[in-house]
Amino acid sequence: MAVSMDDDVPLILTLDESGSNTSAPNEQLDREDLPNENGGSYDIVNDVSSPATGDYHSQQRSARHNWEMNYQEAAIYLQEGENNDKFFTHPKNAKALAAYLFVHNHLFYLMELITALLLLLLSLCEAPAVPILRLGIYIHATLELFALVVVVFELSMKMRWMGFYTYIRHKRTMVKTCVLLVQFVEAIVVLVRQTSHVRITRALRCIFLVDCRYCGAVRRNLRQIFQSLPPFIDILLLLLFFMVIFAILGFYLFSSNHSDPYFNTLENSLVNLFVLLTTSNFPDVMMPSYSRNPWSCVFFIVYLSIELYFIMNLLLAVVFDTFSDIEKRKFKSLLLHKRTAIQHAYRLLVSKQRPSGISFKQFEGLMRFYKPRMCARERYLTFKALNQSNTTLVSLKDFYNFYEVVGLKWKAKRNREHWFDDLPRTAFLIFKGINILVKSRAFQYAMYTVVAVNGIWILIQTFMLQGGNFFPRDVPWSYIVFLTIYGVELLLKTTGLGPIEYLSSGWNLFDFSVTLFAFLGLLALAFNMEPFYFIVVLRPLQLLRLFKLKKRYRNVLDTMFELFPRMASLGLTLLIFYYSFAIVGMEFFSGVVYPNCCNTSTVADAYRWVNNTVGNKTVVEEGYYYLNNFDNILNSFVTLFELTVVNDWYIIMEGVTSQTSHWSRLYFMIFYIVTMVVMTIIVAFILEAFVFRMNYTRKNQGSEEDNGIVLEKEIAKEEMAGVIELYRRNCAASEIAPLLKVIAQMDKYEQTSMLFLGRRSRTKSDLSMKMYEEEIQEWYEEHSRKEEYQWQEDVFPSGNRMLSSGLRQRSQTVT
Amino acid sequence: MAVSMDDDVPLILTLDESGSNTSAPNEQLDREDLPNENGGSYDIVNDVSSPATGDYHSQQRSARHNWEMNYQEAAIYLQEGENNDKFFTHPKNAKALAAYLFVHNHLFYLMELITALLLLLLSLCEAPAVPILRLGIYIHATLELFALVVVVFELSMKMRWMGFYTYIRHKRTMVKTCVLLVQFVEAIVVLVRQTSHVRITRALRCIFLVDCRYCGAVRRNLRQIFQSLPPFIDILLLLLFFMVIFAILGFYLFSSNHSDPYFNTLENSLVNLFVLLTTSNFPDVMMPSYSRNPWSCVFFIVYLSIELYFIMNLLLAVVFDTFSDIEKRKFKSLLLHKRTAIQHAYRLLVSKQRPSGISFKQFEGLMRFYKPRMCARERYLTFKALNQSNTTLVSLKDFYNFYEVVGLKWKAKRNREHWFDDLPRTAFLIFKGINILVKSRAFQYAMYTVVAVNGIWILIQTFMLQGGNFFPRDVPWSYIVFLTIYGVELLLKTTGLGPIEYLSSGWNLFDFSVTLFAFLGLLALAFNMEPFYFIVVLRPLQLLRLFKLKKRYRNVLDTMFELFPRMASLGLTLLIFYYSFAIVGMEFFSGVVYPNCCNTSTVADAYRWVNNTVGNKTVVEEGYYYLNNFDNILNSFVTLFELTVVNDWYIIMEGVTSQTSHWSRLYFMIFYIVTMVVMTIIVAFILEAFVFRMNYTRKNQGSEEDNGIVLEKEIAKEEMAGVIELYRRNCAASEIAPLLKVIAQMDKYEQTSMLFLGRRSRTKSDLSMKMYEEEIQEWYEEHSRKEEYQWQEDVFPSGNRMLSSGLRQRSQTVT
């Protein structure tokens, strides 16, 4: 009993050893709800101060080893919960664990990312290459082979971690493997033949990027797009159906008009109505028939009203609806996944002696694996924050808040309000004055006025210019005046608020950078550095500060910043589609379009390039559209962006079609539909995010301004001493130093305890938690009912395939 | 007591007469909660069967007169509640009442509508008139004066109804009066000068249409648009702000390029970025700079990403959010308004003797004014449906359901299932067989197959044609075959289901009309009636039937039909804006654009019309854009539609600008912004309606299919006899006939009672009621708290200005 009291034994391993005890661990927990025998003070102090004997030492070492394994596995569970990794890829034995640790590592992630990027960037140098980046076939094929070999290495490490069986069942990895094989074969073929063949498979390279750990957001977006597809396709069919009906109708009505090139065959009729859906050939497509019979406009008006103004909006509505539904379900599944992860981790951290909770010692062991860089003080504070009952143990219910609490950044609550509180009296008064001035409304409005005047000044100044190169040789005085004002403001604010507080506000950061840019612009002007003149032009961005004035703008801009990461990932997703289409476009259409290429087509004008000499003046008549080509990947990207914007895209399509075959249109149409999907998702996303936020503010009206999540915890001196004692036994001195500093600080201010503030910004997940508060309880109940069912299954031999068998295997191989 | 028991006295009038009893009527109701002394059977029987004396007669006549007045006023209250008319326009005396009754009349509404339409249609014949509709100045000016005089008459009637003071406070009517004055003066000026001057005020004519009773939906839309404006304008400013910044930036960056006409001045830069916002000059606007420096595309990509893909979507999000919020608030205020109306009506219908409810006699009196055309049987059924407690009186709580119940259409529940149940045995079996066949899945799927085959057939057939006039001289056999199949299907379904049941389904109605059209097309082909050939082309619409197959399509199409009225009113709203802009456009730009008009502008090509004779062939080189002009109102509408679709609209703008001044651009830009507002509202509306419906179905999953609202009520024979007795005393024989028929029917089938079904389609309001179920209770409570406050105010002399004083005045003048 003395041993079991002094040195905890993990609950799970014991279960494994005893063997006979097959009841579900959770039930066990409920039944063995023993009181904490130590009572009062923290475990950690008592645990380590007990005397040690020889036999006890070896026992202790084995127990400690078991604990270490449990800590690590619990940390892995928590990581899996956080990253939404499915538990069936959980490492099952020591070898797998080693591979897991190797694979889940920022260095490894970075390697993944770099190889993926290298593969993608190779397209810059391959066959239809960007001129200045062209590389020899040997060079780029070798580079490619090298990158592919690295990918093979990565995949083999993954297979080691997952095991062959799981590896095969993991779809994404299997697809990646197949693509890898194809790429390998093709790269070797290129090397052998010493010439590039049509390699459309290069379009699949983006899979390597998508599979990167850092591109989780892109994967989520793709999943969401695919989930939104079924309803999307339904409505798309409706759209196409009406298009076909109108195409037949248009063909019958207008093909008798020989001056109408748009409806002379059913195919043309279809293609032109498809283009009309994007409105990019309107009103031209209507004009020949309109000039013959004014009433023919009814056909086009009805078509556009149905297709563009009704069904297209319906499409958005359906996608938006699916999207918000998916968002909610995703939130739910993620929440429950995290909960399960926490349960798994909890089981591993609970000791046999005190099965009702986790002691700090165990928690500290977990955190050493989960967040190695967290300092001892923060670990203890996190533990205290979790521990809402204020006993020595964290119960499962408390532990459920793990993810919410672990992200908090802890700081000692300052005793002084301003940074200058410790300065001598005179300095203090000066700075205090500045502080009051800077925080006053008058100062703020004065600055707004200056900004507004500056904006009007710039506008008038620009309006007075009449073209040409306007950058003055001398620096204009107005520039200097305004910049001086901004500089003084910056100085006052920094000194008045202290640099840290000043820069902690996003708006101040913005002010700062704009002023900095203006200063750089001044330097550029003063020293005549022409290439940097564009900086001067950024001055009007100062005007953005005016938008602070109104609440709606603050709201909108805040939402904008909140949306930014998600928007960026959506943009990246779009870029990945671009990449694939760019590769396909380059393979088929590179070099197809050039000046005066399409003289036989209906869009010849746009591709014309004529150098007329009229009298003694050379007049260049230029259509410019030959610039929108697929000659290299950069050009392709620009062309694809033009296709995305949709206006006049049919000129590009017809140009290419007239030089190749009319099947090329398929490429453009498919691209249009794909971008339509992605764009609709983007719109739905912005809508959803914005409406969600508005609903949230409406629901929580009257509550305090949004400052993120803040938690306050107090630590007494004795507690601190206890923690230090624990660390002194177990760890290196480096960990103890910050703790001692805290004690020193307490001594300095003669306090018996110290207040700490934990702070983090509010995430979408927090908002959702609050929005769905009631439903979440239902989900939990439903989930725990299912859970129970699963626990019960675990009792039967067939039930404990995955988790417990994994555990058992590992404990056998390690101990 | 005998008198008061037999002949009820209205509660309100008595209150007025006694004077001393100043406590609030509602409180009175609560306190005087007398039990119903008749107990058991219905009032109406007892009420009229009492003996009558001479003195009693005059008393009774006066009471009856009072009752009649109360009935009428209650009916007016209920109408006001239904139409969302504010109570401050409630008629206050007998003169006002007469005027009210005159004004609230379908004949009057029709007159309003016709005069408004006449005024609008005059634009077809005035100065820049549609050629074939041109009228002399005398004629159209006289017509206009006539229409205006009618409007004056209408307004004077309204003033009689409202009283001068209320009339002046009623904003919409005041605006109308002012516009009327201006129109009058101008029409007279035109008549005197005998020539049309610049009459932009004609754009205001649409106010007459908007003010029509039948255009309530348009008014609601306009209100909603104006309510959505503030957030819209905020975001619009953000949009314009970025536009200005980018315009300055673009001017600095690109104006040094002399081959770039888009950025050579700040004004051009701004205009082109505005056009770029609509993407209609993309990629052309980028091309000159792109050909000089490929990296300049970054400027355009960033601009479009921020403006088009972010802020424009934000605009939609903000409008959508405001829109759904407004929808909910509108629903709330309408609901509470109706509730107040019901309370007012209830107060007038309750008798002094039985203040706890309304008896059928009173209810019948009300309905005679509220729905004069409702037959006696339906009135009684409505009363029974309201009366949930099954006593003789309808309490206030029951009466609150008035609007939900009064719309029900009552039908005796059929004893027979099919229309052919009464036929002889053989015929019955045959029809029964057809019925089973028609309802079988096999039959349905066979028909789907036929439709699909027909669709493919048409597609292939059309694809094989190569242009020209394809209508065959002979009727093709495939046409006859398919039409025969559809005809047989139609016949089978009609006979199997009975024509009434067949046509009660929207889908069957659709089938029927398409088949009918196909048949008409056949006739047109067979008898060579060329102008009707277009009917032949409608055949592919049969394919729409295939969309019945999938649930989502049924949902979408059902939503489509539900949305249709609202969509139509939104379309009408848009047309009203179109009208105003068309008038302004005609006044300024009529005759400005013609072939080869704009040779000095950048869009000269689009307006070119050259008749080149190359060899012996005449080649017409046509730009067609001169057709997009403002020469008459029809042309203007088409041009405005083209501007709405937005593509290439800058060609129209530049064409007009090159012929007039560069201020003309303002017209086009304002039009763009206005249509943007309306279009955003339309999108928001579709989104809202669709998402609402989806949420509704999600919330009520598993409930029965949506068949509208159905209520079942049973009437016993004795009850019927009582009702007949009541009517026999009071009314003409015509009202009793249908009641007697019911009795006769009961006798025929030897029933002692008869079941009736009340049915109406589900409206948005019903859905909202269910969606906001919980919140509605809160609203009611909040409302009744306010109500109470108001009742208390009524006790003080200053408090009862409007309602009770109106009542008092009237009862004084009438009695």
Side-chain angles (χ1 to χ4, degrees), chain A residues 240-241 243-249 251-252 266-267 270, chain B residues 451-465 482 539-540 543:
Chain A
L240 292 178
F241 170 75
M243 196 181 290
V244 170
I245 284 188
F246 273 89
I248 295 175
L249 204 61
F251 174 66
Y252 275 113
L266 188 62
E267 191 200 333
L270 256 175
Chain B
V451 170
V453 169
N454 189 5
I456 294 165
W457 191 274
I458 291 173
L459 208 64
I460 292 172
Q461 209 181 25
T462 318
F463 197 76
M464 306 296 267
L465 294 171
F482 282 114
R539 274 186 307 161
L543 289 176

Side-chain angles (χ1 to χ4, degrees), chain A residues 142-310:
Chain A
T142 315
L143 268 174
E144 189 180 351
L145 268 183
F146 167 70
L148 290 176
V149 166
V150 175
V151 176
V152 169
F153 168 68
E154 290 162 9
L155 276 178
S156 62
M157 285 316 291
K158 274 198 180 167
M159 201 197 289
R160 241 177 111 85
W161 147 41
M162 290 189 194
F164 183 69
Y165 182 66
T166 317
Y167 182 87
I168 281 185
R169 286 200 307 159
H170 200 252
K171 265 185 228 143
R172 178 154 42 94
T173 316
M174 273 318 287
V175 171
K176 193 175 170 183
T177 314
C178 296
V179 172
L180 182 68
L181 269 178
V182 173
Q183 299 283 315
F184 234 113
V185 171
E186 291 212 279
I188 289 168
V189 168
V190 167
L191 258 186
V192 171
R193 290 182 63 223
Q194 298 193 24
T195 166
S196 276
H197 53 280
V198 179
R199 284 186 63 190
I200 306 179
T201 49
R202 286 192 295 159
L204 298 173
R205 277 181 188 166
C206 33
I207 285 173
F208 297 125
L209 185 67
V210 170
D211 192 56
C212 278
R213 166 68 54 168
Y214 290 139
C215 293
V218 174
R219 278 201 301 280
R220 270 196 298 281
N221 288 334
L222 285 174
R223 203 173 306 131
Q224 210 145 12
I225 288 174
F226 286 123
Q227 281 169 334
S228 303
L229 268 189
F232 190 93
I233 288 174
D234 284 345
I235 307 291
L236 195 69
L237 284 180
L238 195 69
L239 197 80
L240 292 178
F241 170 75
F242 275 106
M243 196 181 290
V244 170
I245 284 188
F246 273 89
I248 295 175
L249 204 61
F251 174 66
Y252 275 113
L253 290 176
F254 305 129
S255 61
S256 54
N257 179 358
H258 291 293
S259 64
D260 190 340
Y262 300 106
F263 292 95
N264 51 6
T265 65
L266 188 62
E267 191 200 333
N268 269 352
S269 181
L270 256 175
V271 169
N272 280 304
L273 286 185
F274 188 94
V275 177
L276 183 53
L277 188 67
T278 68
T279 74
S280 98
N281 59 353
F282 194 77
D284 303 80
V285 69
M286 178 175 93
M287 282 300 146
S289 43
Y290 185 56
S291 77
R292 259 208 170 183
N293 178 1
W295 291 107
S296 65
C297 67
V298 172
F299 173 84
F300 296 95
I301 291 175
V302 170
Y303 177 77
L304 283 174
S305 305
I306 292 181
E307 294 276 75
L308 188 65
Y309 294 122
F310 191 77

Side-chain angles (χ1 to χ4, degrees), chain A residues 19-33:
Chain A
S20 63
N21 192 348
T22 46
S23 72
N26 224 17
E27 287 178 358
Q28 178 96 359
L29 282 182
D30 294 341
R31 257 186 276 133
E32 290 197 4
D33 199 14

